[in-house]
Amino acid sequence: MAGGNSDIEFIKKGKRLDGRKPDELREVRIEAGVLNRADGSCYLEWGNNKVYAGVFGPIECHPRHKQQQDRAIVQARYTMAPFSVNDRKRPGYDRRSSEISYITSQALERVVMVELFPRAAIRVDMQVVEAHAGTRCAALTAASVALADAGIPMRDIIPSCAAGKVSDTVVLDLNKEEDNYGQADLPLAIVPSTGEVVLLQLDGHLTPDEFEQAFDLAYKGCMDLYDIQRAALANRYGGSA
Ligand code: ADP
């Protein structure tokens, strides 16, 4: 939603309007195993974002025509609650939700060992209860932890984080105002053990140099989130992160 409003001075004396340094994440808190009815779950707070993720499966794949003979499919579904934004959001699924669900499914299929469960589906429901920009990254980060909590075999867990540009400066993890009126937003998700990029989007404009800077910053943000994800799982199951 980068609108590119150059009238707003987003950075004053090296600090952003919310007091963060350009390369600083909003505060992140992750808890695994928070829902009794799901096979695996996660609650994540990231700045003012609040997201639940619940996993069911592996279960029989419906509709049947989506079944794959040699592997499971990951059916991720991202939704925002009507009360998650300032003006009540119309309930239900819209184009944006379906885009985010699709890219999340694609990313998760890179790490879930889908070949172990032919014809099955693994359902991942992500519910944003408060949204303040960066919710696709927050939802994917929570979904990975919920999958691990469900005991689904995975090659790694996926952290996701965005970087962007405001007032001609590349910054980590845009908040709502920065996302709305800034110049660019670059959400990234990686597989930390291999460095594979499983999600990369760009809204707005960046020069090649700025792109490289934003990519490096988002990558570093992902690695910081990876530590927090592993600590959340270690906290629930014991062991070290
Ligand atoms: P992301 O949340 O991944 O940054 P967007 O860039 O599409 O995704 O959205 C940025 C922010 O805009 C969201 O986090 C949310 O706060 C707000 N937003 C998105 N969709 C709506 C909507 N339908 N109504 C009101 N606010 C919305």
Side-chain angles (χ1 to χ4, degrees):
M1 287 202 186
N5 186 335
S6 53
D7 298 340
I8 301 177
E9 210 185 324
F10 282 102
I11 301 189
K12 288 182 190 158
K13 296 185 185 158
K15 289 272 176 79
R16 293 151 76 175
L17 295 180
D18 60 9
R20 283 184 293 157
K21 291 184 276 198
D23 62 351
E24 196 174 331
L25 275 176
R26 288 174 285 182
E27 203 169 307
V28 181
R29 188 173 78 79
I30 302 180
E31 195 177 343
V34 292
L35 304 171
N36 287 331
R37 302 241 161 92
D39 296 325
S41 59
C42 174
Y43 174 64
L44 178 149
E45 281 184 9
W46 183 337
N48 294 325
N49 288 316
K50 296 189 174 125
V51 181
Y52 282 94
V55 167
F56 293 89
I59 51 178
E60 199 179 342
C61 179
H62 288 291
R64 280 269 174 100
H65 68 84
K66 291 205 169 152
Q67 277 187 3
Q68 298 293 319
Q69 292 307 309
D70 55 347
R71 64 177 183 90
I73 61 166
V74 174
Q75 290 180 316
R77 194 175 159 96
Y78 164 104
T79 42
M80 284 203 328
F83 47 77
S84 65
V85 290
N86 273 352
D87 303 316
R88 178 178 182 273
K89 183 193 168 293
R90 221 172 136 205
Y93 218 47
D94 52 20
R95 267 185 59 177
R96 180 175 167 277
S97 313
S98 103
E99 173 224 324
I100 296 176
S101 301
Y102 176 74
I103 56 171
T104 306
S105 302
Q106 296 282 306
L108 292 171
E109 284 190 0
R110 306 294 301 192
V111 289
V112 171
M113 297 171 90
V114 287
E115 63 280 8
L116 298 180
F117 308 105
R119 296 180 296 282
I122 296 162
R123 295 224 46 169
V124 184
D125 293 297
M126 297 157 290
Q127 175 77 46
V128 177
V129 293
E130 272 189 34
H132 286 261
T135 58
R136 71 194 62 210
C137 297
L140 178 50
T141 301
S144 298
V145 173
L147 279 163
D149 182 50
I152 304 285
M154 294 160 83
R155 295 183 177 84
D156 202 351
I157 46 176
I158 295 177
S160 176
C161 184
K165 181 174 145 187
V166 294
S167 298
D168 295 324
T169 307
V170 172
V171 297
L172 183 64
D173 183 25
L174 304 183
N175 66 25
K176 182 83 175 73
E177 291 69 33
E178 293 170 333
D179 183 273
N180 276 12
Y181 305 110
Q183 295 157 302
D185 184 22
L186 181 102
L188 172 73
I190 60 167
V191 181
S193 55
T194 60
E196 187 186 353
V197 171
V198 289
L199 184 152
L200 179 65
Q201 298 184 294
L202 174 61
D203 183 16
H205 298 280
L206 293 172
T207 65
D209 273 356
E210 287 167 346
F211 176 84
E212 212 164 297
Q213 267 184 54
F215 183 91
D216 289 349
L217 208 49
Y219 197 100
K220 191 186 147 290
C222 286
M223 294 310 288
D224 289 346
L225 278 156
Y226 187 52
D227 289 341
I228 305 171
Q229 288 174 305
R230 289 191 306 170
L233 289 164
N235 191 31
R236 176 152 163 79
Y237 292 104
S240 60

